[in-house]
Amino acid sequence: MAKLCVIGTGYVGLVTGTCFADMGHRVTCLDINEERISMLKNGIMPIYEPGLKQIVDQNVEAGRLDFTTSYPEALKDSEFAFIAVGTPSNDDGEADMQYVKAASSSIAKNLDHPIIIVNKSTVPVGTGDWVAEIIHDLNGQVTPQFSVVSNPEFLREGSAVMDFMKPDRVVLGSTDSDAANRVAELYQALRSDIMITDLRTAEMIKYASNAYLAARISFINEIANICETLGADVREVARGMGMDKRIGPAFLDAGLGWGGSCFPKDVKALAHMAVTHDTHPQLLQAVMDINFNQRKHAVDKLEKALGDLKGKTIGVLGLSFKPNTDDTRYSPSLDIINMLVAKGATVQGYDPQAMKTSKEEVPELNLCQNPYDVAQDADALLLATEWNEFKSLDFDRIKANMRGNVVLDGRNIWNGEELQEMGFFYFGMGIPGSL
Ligand code: NAD
Ligand code: UGA
């Protein structure tokens, strides 16, 4: 069993550290956010991720997992240091590397024994070499032996533990094949395919994978918009397409478009890398434009149904960027709420996990305690994030509470015919009667 430390206790770092501890390794998770570490030390999860608290508790109790804000403490006896800090977007779309730089510098300053540095953050191609230079430059004395391995993470929020424990593949990239093989050993218990390649290729696999998934969603949303004009049903189109083994059914749900802490920043960062190396990212640009237009398309639909939105009340179900997470970064729901507020509408909303951050991001949003309060005196109801609890609502109660009868099903989860029969003016995304 190995001793390792994980730097950053967000969605990726906390899940990675906890899952390695659960596999029997001895793990210290480190964060510079003192409040986060103090919460973790007190058994409180700083993020909402289904199933995570239980395995954190079990591994803390078993003495395999602990938390610190001290680099010397985390690095002590560690054979591996995983970097899992954030890489958000700069204003021009470039990945902001300040956190990776700070984490690498702190490792360098506190390193007194050989170590393998494993980069799990999503980082621009070439970062692995750059991290190695930082360690060399800053360590000062005779630098202990170290290697850098890129190990991009493919987990999704909302199913992070399951995705980590049952990955489709583990990708490792390094110029040091012994180091890559040692990281591979850590993952062997998961019995998944392990691909070992060079550093830059591993870094690119991560961006290409996210960009491809985002492109599939933008593709189906463009098809949805064409379906609307021609009277076809995008749900059935996606089902029919997905039966082709070369296409497959995943990531073909039309709706309000993609959001989250990763697709938006990663597609932008890849496009930025291309432009700064004199390549025109024509497809990536279209993928981003379609995604932005999808939000506007939803607002246009509400405007068509209600007329001028000034003074209208709109209820929004779901605020997080997808179900089963409290994450609101680049949430389609919040983007749409901002557009509605800008047009003079009053917006009231509810989410099972993301109320606090949503209110911080959009102060004009009025929070409600449940879906029925969201419907109260609303002229229209928008389903923005498909949490399970929104799938079977008491629509008689919703109707009685609403002032109007417009329902926009932004994720195509409800039975439109039934709602029409109940007297709602129902429309979805890319399904007949949606315009
Ligand atoms: P996050 O924002 O949830 O967490 C990052 C954590 O790093 C924060 O707690 C922050 O305090 C900490 N941190 C920042 N600087 C630090 C430093 N110098 N030393 C120690 N800790 C520091 O981020 P996340 O969503 O977990 O993403 C981390 C990386 O993983 C990103 O590059 C992201 O693109 C990538 N990724 C994320 C997901 C996901 O689903 N969220 C999936 C795959 C890959
Ligand atoms: C995504 C990838 O799926 C992960 O493999 C990757 O590791 C992660 O980004 C990352 O790099 O951070 P995540 O953002 O957590 O994971 O969530 P997804 O399930 O991919 O959903 C992203 C967005 O696309 C959500 O807004 C979701 O509503 C939307 N989406 C997804 C659709 O609109 N249609 C679909 O068919 C699928």
Side-chain angles (χ1 to χ4, degrees), residues 163-186:
D163 288 349
F164 189 93
M165 290 300 207
K166 291 191 186 307
D168 289 341
R169 79 301 206 188
V170 171
V171 173
L172 301 171
S174 186
T175 46
D176 178 345
S177 59
D178 287 345
N181 282 322
R182 281 189 57 203
V183 181
E185 279 168 24
L186 289 178

Side-chain angles (χ1 to χ4, degrees), residues 1-9 12-31 37 40-41 52 55-84 120 164-165 186-187:
M1 290 300 122
K3 162 78 176 59
L4 51 101
C5 66
V6 180
I7 298 165
T9 59
V12 170
L14 186 55
V15 170
T16 299
T18 305
C19 290
F20 275 130
D22 206 50
M23 286 186 242
H25 301 293
R26 174 79 189 79
V27 182
T28 299
C29 287
L30 172 142
D31 207 293
I37 291 299
L40 285 164
K41 282 185 166 176
L52 184 60
I55 60 171
V56 168
D57 289 349
Q58 281 164 3
N59 286 284
V60 168
E61 197 153 307
R64 288 189 296 265
L65 179 65
D66 61 11
F67 305 99
T68 184
T69 53
S70 153
Y71 269 89
E73 201 179 310
L75 287 167
K76 190 168 183 305
D77 302 329
S78 283
E79 300 153 63
F80 303 88
F82 283 75
I83 298 180
K120 256 203 180 297
F164 189 93
M165 290 300 207
L186 289 178
Y187 283 102

